[in-house]
Amino acid sequence: MLDRRRFVSSSALALGGLALPGCATTIARPSASAAPTGCLPPVDVSADRVIRTVAGLRPYRASGFVVRAEALGDKRLVHNYGHGGAGITLSWGTSKLATELGLPGHQGPVAVIGAGIMGLTTARLVQEAGFPVTLYTAALPPDTTSNIAGGQWSPFGHYRDDAVTPEWRAQFARALDYSWRRFQIMIGDDYGIRWLTTYAESGGDPGPADTYHPAAARLSSQDHPFPVDNVVRFDTMYVETGRFLRQMMRDIHVAGGRFAIRRFASPAEISTLPERLVFNCTGLGARELFGDTELHPVRGQLAILLPQPEIRYAFTGEAGYMFPRPDGIILGGTFERDEWRAEPRAEDIARIIASHRRLFEGFRCTA
Ligand SMILES: Cc1cc2nc3c(=O)[nH]c(=O)nc-3n(C[C@H](O)[C@H](O)[C@H](O)COP(=O)(O)OP(=O)(O)OC[C@H]3O[C@@H](n4cnc5c(N)ncnc54)[C@H](O)[C@@H]3O)c2cc1C
């Protein structure tokens, strides 16, 4: 089962000095004071409440995402791919880094390849900088991996600690900082971005408060109903991915952007584009298109239950994860390396449902 909870305890370490200990006391606490303590309404988990099941392939690279510029004939090509299980979280940030690499000194129209969250955020930043943009893509939302993502803002599952360089860590830190701030100014129903109190089983590690876990606190068993030990509570953002991507496409259209359905088989085909600056935002597609064999799929499977509007908290832990969204209660998940079939398997879905059912039926009290 997926171990998202590890992020909570290891984030300060993973960010390599980025965590600001002082913030624990100085950061405003947006909702923890209003957060429910003690009892919570449980999620009603049963197989007959499942409205759909999905599986997607995370574009994972042990040495982390690629944001890099190179020459392609007379063009500048800027890569922005390989974000593993954190592409929603990192999107605005690495797209910002990519545009900072590509745009200085450029004149004229710009091409973006791919219309998942990386392509759409890159295209918007290109437009915001004043350039006309065309998105070339094999598929549009809702047929992208980005549509499948649960949408927790959490830099989880996208690199291996011993495989990244200090330079990459610096990119990561800058990307997180921009993304964190950019998503916050888009909170609301139009983009489907919300703050939610999150309960995470944390493996007994010490306190978690840092920049990206405002209002974090370790809870005693009276302060939560979950039948598990070592629970940490913090606030983070959640993105209703379908709604967000739809709104981003509208924004790009309104600003004069064009979409063209086109699949590229090789860099040579990309060289025939009229634009002299090209952003590669093809996710897992970059493996075949650019021969990046370091890129591997990590499959994730989800069961989505009927919406339950009274559920206004999220959970991550041994049982998996539960993110409540207006379009359904998202139950995850799996983290299956080198599985290429983007299809849910009945036995895995049954396991996800059973583990969450045990969790919520085991509530020590209910609200
Ligand atoms: C089950 C699951 C849960 C997840 N949960 C989270 C989460 O909670 N939080 C989080 O931050 N992240 C999460 N992720 C990770 C996130 O979904 C990915 O990191 C992110 O979607 C990658 O975005 P992308 O734009 O790079 O790729 P994609 O969304 O795959 O978009 C790639 C685009 O490129 C196009 N393309 C590909 N090849 C070509 C080609 N040869 N020619 C032309 N176009 C091409 C495709 O058609 C598509 O439009 C999750 C992923 C899964 C599977």
Side-chain angles (χ1 to χ4, degrees):
M1 199 60 81
L2 177 62
D3 196 2
R4 257 177 187 274
R5 74 203 159 105
R6 282 193 190 286
F7 169 65
V8 177
S9 52
S10 64
S11 60
L13 185 69
L15 294 173
L18 186 71
L20 305 173
C23 288
T25 50
T26 55
I27 272 180
R29 302 191 159 222
S31 68
S33 54
T37 54
C39 305
L40 294 167
V43 176
D44 189 356
V45 184
S46 64
D48 65 356
R49 291 181 61 81
V50 174
I51 53 176
R52 67 180 187 281
T53 59
V54 288
L57 308 181
R58 302 173 180 92
Y60 179 85
R61 293 179 89 253
S63 62
F65 60 74
V66 178
V67 174
R68 179 170 48 79
E70 64 184 63
L72 179 67
D74 64 349
K75 297 187 196 308
R76 188 182 300 169
L77 173 68
V78 182
H79 297 288
N80 181 16
Y81 70 88
H83 299 78
I88 307 302
T89 307
L90 291 167
S91 57
W92 281 112
T94 64
S95 296
K96 182 72 171 168
L97 299 185
T99 54
E100 285 173 358
L101 273 181
L103 292 176
H106 176 73
Q107 290 184 333
V110 173
V112 172
I113 307 179
I117 197 156
M118 293 305 154
L120 297 177
T121 50
T122 299
R124 272 307 289 143
L125 290 167
V126 166
Q127 289 180 320
E128 288 173 8
F131 296 85
V133 72
T134 300
L135 276 106
Y136 299 90
T137 184
L140 287 168
D143 298 319
T144 71
T145 301
S146 300
N147 283 83
I148 290 168
Q152 184 188 46
W153 198 99
S154 171
F156 155 85
H158 64 110
Y159 70 98
R160 210 182 60 229
D161 217 25
D162 63 0
V164 295
T165 63
E167 294 72 27
W168 181 88
R169 282 185 193 278
Q171 281 190 318
F172 176 33
R174 284 183 56 213
L176 268 189
D177 176 61
Y178 185 76
S179 254
W180 176 245
R181 289 182 290 111
R182 181 74 193 224
F183 275 111
Q184 287 181 40
I185 60 168
M186 302 177 84
I187 290 284
D189 284 348
D190 42 359
Y191 291 96
I193 305 170
R194 302 172 183 88
W195 285 98
L196 272 183
T197 295
T198 303
Y199 295 83
E201 231 181 317
S202 70
D205 291 309
D210 66 29
T211 308
Y212 300 116
H213 294 102
R218 178 164 298 287
L219 300 184
S220 73
S221 59
Q222 289 86 45
D223 291 330
H224 69 83
F226 298 96
V228 299
D229 298 328
N230 298 315
V231 172
V232 167
R233 189 184 65 206
F234 60 94
D235 286 52
T236 193
M237 291 174 280
Y238 288 80
V239 182
E240 188 187 339
T241 40
R243 188 188 303 220
F244 179 79
L245 297 168
R246 209 162 49 237
Q247 186 59 40
M248 288 292 291
M249 287 176 66
R250 287 191 197 118
D251 289 356
I252 290 165
H253 254 304
V254 166
R258 295 192 316 120
F259 289 84
I261 302 299
R262 179 161 174 190
R263 174 180 290 279
F264 296 91
S266 67
E269 270 186 35
I270 296 172
S271 339
T272 65
L273 290 174
E275 295 85 357
R276 291 173 59 95
L277 172 61
V278 181
F279 290 92
N280 165 34
C281 305
T282 52
L284 194 56
R287 181 181 162 106
E288 199 182 325
L289 186 54
F290 292 98
D292 183 348
T293 52
E294 222 202 297
L295 198 50
H296 289 266
V298 176
R299 183 169 66 188
Q301 304 184 49
L302 305 176
I304 294 109
L305 304 178
L306 278 169
Q308 251 183 283
E310 74 275 21
I311 306 296
R312 295 161 66 84
Y313 62 90
F315 173 86
T316 72
E318 201 61 52
Y321 58 81
M322 184 284 295
F323 305 156
R325 301 197 320 209
D327 61 339
I329 300 271
I330 313 294
L331 299 185
T334 61
F335 201 80
E336 306 159 77
R337 293 168 199 276
D338 285 313
E339 286 289 347
W340 277 99
R341 283 167 63 86
E343 284 168 22
R345 296 195 323 159
E347 58 270 38
D348 295 329
I349 295 294
R351 242 194 322 271
I352 290 169
I353 292 170
S355 63
H356 285 90
R357 188 172 181 151
R358 272 195 304 278
L359 178 79
F360 290 104
E361 286 186 352
F363 260 26
R364 286 181 283 100
C365 65
T366 59

